[in-house]
Amino acid sequence: MARDTQTQLRNEMIYSVFVRNYSEAGNFAGVTADLQRIKDLGTDILWLLPINPIGEVNRKGTLGSPYAIKDYRGINPEYGTLADFKALTDRAHELGMKVMLDIVYNHTSPDSVLATEHPEWFYHDADGQLTNKVGDWSDVKDLDYGHHELWQYQIDTLLYWSQFVDGYRCDVAPLVPLDFWLEARKQVNAKYPETLWLAESAGSGFIEELRSQGYTGLSDSELYQAFDMTYDYDVFGDFKDYWQGRSTVERYVDLLQRQDATFPGNYVKMRFLENHDNARMMSLMHSKAEAVNNLTWIFMQRGIPLIYNGQEFLAEHQPSLFDQDTMVADRHGDVTPLIQKLVTIKQLPLLRAADYQLAVVEEGIVKITYRAAGEALTAWIPLKGQVTAVATKLAAGSYQNLLTDGPTEVVDGKLTVDGQPVLIKYVTNTAVTKVADQSN
C-alpha cells in the first residue's frame, strides 16, 4: 500500500453507480437528484463507472460497454454535458461525499481518439493490426506502455479530471506497469494531495495467465506500492466456494487472516458481496436474513465495504453493461436501516485497530475481534444463519448487541447466537505482551 495511505479509509463506505442504469432518465441529472438518499445511506465515497464517450466499432450490445472508451477527456453525451457532470460532483461535495471516477487505462475502443491519432501507442499483431491481450474483450484494443509519450498523456488526463473528482478506481490495474502507476500517483498527488487510488486487482489465476504469456501481471503486494485500496479478488472466489459447498469456511477465513501478515500494515481491502462484474449477492444468499448476516460480515472485516446500487434493495438481476437496463424496479426488500447501522459501527476508531483477529468457532460461526486502548469489539457472525451457543471469556452478565441494541446474555462462559450476528464492545486489558520466538 502507498506509504501515506490513511487507515481512516477502514472506517468509510463506497457506493457504486452506473449512470446509464441508475435512473429512468439514465443521465447525470438522475443521479444528482438522488444524492441525498445516497448520502443518507452512509456513503463516504461515490464511485461512478466510466462517464466517457463509448466507441462504436465492435460495440457490444446496443449502447456499448462503458469500459470501451472512445475519448478519455470527453463526456458521454447520453449522460449530459460537462456542466451536468460538474453539477453532480459539486452536489456530492456539498453533501460531504468524495467522488471517485472509473478510469480504464489498459485499453480503448478500436475507434478511439488515441487509436486514430497515435496508433503506435497500441499493441499490434503479426499483421500490424491493433490487438489486445484478453480474447473475450473484442470491443477494445490494448495500449502499449512501452511508449513513454503515452504516460504523460494519461497523467495529464488525470490532472484534468482531478479538478472535479477526488480519486480514481483503476480498471484492470494489474495489466498496466507499476512504474506508470507510481509516476501517476506522484504527479497527481503533488497537485491534489488527498487523491484516493483504488486498484481493480485480480485473482491469482488471471495474474498467472498474464505472466505465462509474458505480459505485465501485478500482484496485490506490487499494487499496494501505488494504491490505497485493492479489490478482494484474492479471496472472493474462496468466499463463493464456501457458499456453494466446494470449500470450507475454515480455509476462507485462514486466507483472510493471512492478508494481515502478507500486506503492509496500512493496507485497505475493498470488501464486497457483489459489483458490476459479478452476480448479485442474492444469487448466493437464500433469504433476507442471510443477506443481513453477510452484509454485517463485509462491514466488520478489516477494509472498506462496497455497496453496489440496488444492493440495499436486495436486487436480484445483474444489470447489463451493454444495454439500457434500469435498476429502479428491481426491489425485493430494503436493508437501508441495516446499512446505516453498520456504517455507524464501522465509524468506530476501534475498527482500524492494529490488533485484529479472525477465527472459526462453533458450528462454523466466524468470530472477529478488534482490540485497542483498553477496549475491544467482538463479532460472532453466522454466515449461513447458524444457531448455537459459543464459548466466550466475557464475564457473566448482560451486554448490548451493537447491531440490534438489544441485550445479549453471557451465562457460564457462553452466549447464544440465534441465527443473527452478535456484536459486543467491552472494556479489556490490552497490555502489550511479548512476541513469541519463532526462530526455531
Side-chain angles (χ1 to χ4, degrees):
M1 167 163 279
R3 292 182 178 181
D4 57 352
T5 294
Q6 300 299 305
T7 57
Q8 284 85 351
L9 286 168
R10 296 172 179 169
N11 298 114
E12 299 185 3
M13 183 185 86
I14 299 172
Y15 187 86
S16 176
V17 165
F18 182 20
V19 173
R20 177 194 295 162
N21 291 342
Y22 186 82
S23 67
E24 293 291 354
N27 57 20
F28 292 132
V31 178
T32 304
D34 205 34
L35 285 176
Q36 184 66 63
R37 185 196 68 82
I38 294 173
K39 175 60 179 177
D40 290 344
L41 186 64
T43 301
D44 299 286
I45 302 170
L46 176 66
W47 159 22
L48 300 175
L49 270 65
I51 50 95
N52 313 98
I54 296 170
E56 298 175 9
V57 173
N58 295 349
R59 174 177 283 190
K60 292 183 177 180
T62 57
L63 297 177
S65 167
Y67 293 92
I69 292 175
K70 188 171 186 177
D71 181 2
Y72 284 128
R73 300 179 182 180
I75 292 284
N76 187 339
E78 298 167 11
Y79 295 172
T81 64
L82 180 61
D84 295 324
F85 176 66
K86 188 174 184 298
L88 189 163
T89 59
D90 285 349
R91 179 56 178 154
H93 291 148
E94 288 173 7
L95 292 170
M97 291 184 288
K98 299 172 185 176
V99 179
M100 185 164 62
L101 191 61
D102 209 324
I103 63 166
V104 188
Y105 272 12
N106 175 68
H107 49 257
T108 74
S109 69
D111 54 343
S112 69
V113 170
L114 288 189
T116 301
E117 297 181 357
H118 291 284
E120 72 276 11
W121 289 355
F122 289 77
Y123 281 99
H124 295 76
D125 63 19
D127 296 323
Q129 300 299 309
L130 303 190
T131 188
N132 60 4
K133 298 184 284 287
V134 181
D136 185 51
W137 299 351
S138 59
D139 56 343
V140 297
K141 303 301 179 184
D142 284 6
L143 290 159
D144 181 357
Y145 280 80
H147 298 272
H148 279 255
E149 300 89 347
L150 169 64
W151 290 31
Q152 197 58 50
Y153 180 93
Q154 300 290 58
I155 293 170
D156 287 345
T157 301
L158 294 171
L159 289 167
Y160 167 74
W161 289 114
S162 290
Q163 65 185 303
F164 308 111
V165 303
D166 310 282
Y168 299 98
R169 178 267 187 190
C170 302
D171 189 63
V172 289
L175 278 70
V176 176
L178 177 60
D179 285 344
F180 168 79
W181 291 126
L182 289 167
E183 182 63 23
R185 184 183 180 107
K186 176 183 176 182
Q187 290 193 35
V188 172
N189 284 51
K191 188 171 183 179
Y192 300 96
E194 303 301 317
T195 301
L196 301 173
W197 298 82
L198 166 64
E200 185 197 19
S201 50
S204 59
F206 187 57
I207 299 302
E208 289 168 1
E209 179 65 21
L210 286 169
R211 291 177 175 179
S212 71
Q213 297 182 42
Y215 295 123
T216 296
L218 301 178
S219 67
D220 286 24
S221 294
E222 290 173 301
L223 289 167
Y224 273 132
Q225 297 178 53
F227 287 88
D228 301 301
M229 301 168 279
T230 67
Y231 270 51
D232 209 10
Y233 279 148
D234 53 322
V235 295
F236 186 59
D238 298 277
F239 172 74
K240 292 192 292 185
D241 284 346
Y242 159 63
W243 260 97
Q244 294 168 346
R246 296 191 297 265
S247 187
T248 66
V249 68
E250 286 83 3
R251 170 177 165 75
Y252 168 52
V253 170
D254 179 63
L255 292 171
L256 282 169
Q257 188 72 73
R258 288 170 186 258
Q259 287 180 338
D260 231 40
T262 301
F263 302 132
N266 62 342
Y267 81 101
V268 181
K269 274 285 178 182
M270 186 175 75
R271 311 293 186 180
F272 54 87
L273 298 173
E274 62 180 58
N275 58 47
H276 67 275
D277 283 324
N278 286 275
R280 292 290 194 176
M281 69 175 179
M282 297 311 293
S283 68
L284 285 176
M285 314 293 119
H286 303 106
S287 65
K288 178 180 178 180
E290 289 183 347
V292 166
N293 294 355
N294 285 267
L295 283 166
T296 303
W297 168 235
I298 65 165
F299 272 81
M300 291 306 300
Q301 288 181 66
R302 170 165 286 173
I304 185 168
L306 168 71
I307 297 295
Y308 180 40
N309 168 230
Q311 190 172 2
E312 67 270 41
F313 301 118
L314 305 183
E316 297 178 355
H317 171 63
Q318 182 182 356
S320 171
L321 286 176
F322 314 129
D323 302 286
Q324 189 77 35
D325 196 4
T326 305
M327 306 181 194
V328 174
D330 189 12
R331 300 189 176 193
H332 304 274
D334 188 351
V335 291
T336 295
L338 169 73
I339 293 172
Q340 291 170 328
K341 184 68 171 180
L342 289 169
V343 165
T344 300
I345 297 169
K346 190 69 173 172
Q347 291 170 345
L348 294 171
L350 187 55
L351 266 71
R352 60 176 186 268
D355 190 348
Y356 165 74
Q357 300 296 325
L358 297 169
V360 178
V361 296
E362 291 88 344
E363 300 296 328
I365 289 173
V366 181
K367 176 183 174 183
I368 304 176
T369 302
Y370 292 89
R371 294 186 182 88
E375 61 180 1
L377 189 154
T378 297
W380 291 267
I381 303 178
L383 297 179
K384 294 187 176 181
Q386 304 96 308
V387 176
T388 190
V390 296
T392 177
K393 293 183 180 180
L394 289 174
S398 183
Y399 296 81
Q400 181 188 31
N401 184 347
L402 297 181
L403 192 61
T404 64
D405 294 324
T408 294
E409 305 297 328
V410 174
V411 180
D412 296 331
K414 292 187 176 182
L415 62 82
T416 298
V417 176
D418 193 14
Q420 299 179 349
V422 176
L423 282 58
I424 297 177
K425 186 170 176 282
Y426 52 96
V427 175
T428 186
N429 178 8
T430 53
V432 176
T433 58
K434 292 183 178 180
V435 177
D437 181 2
Q438 298 181 350
S439 60
N440 294 327

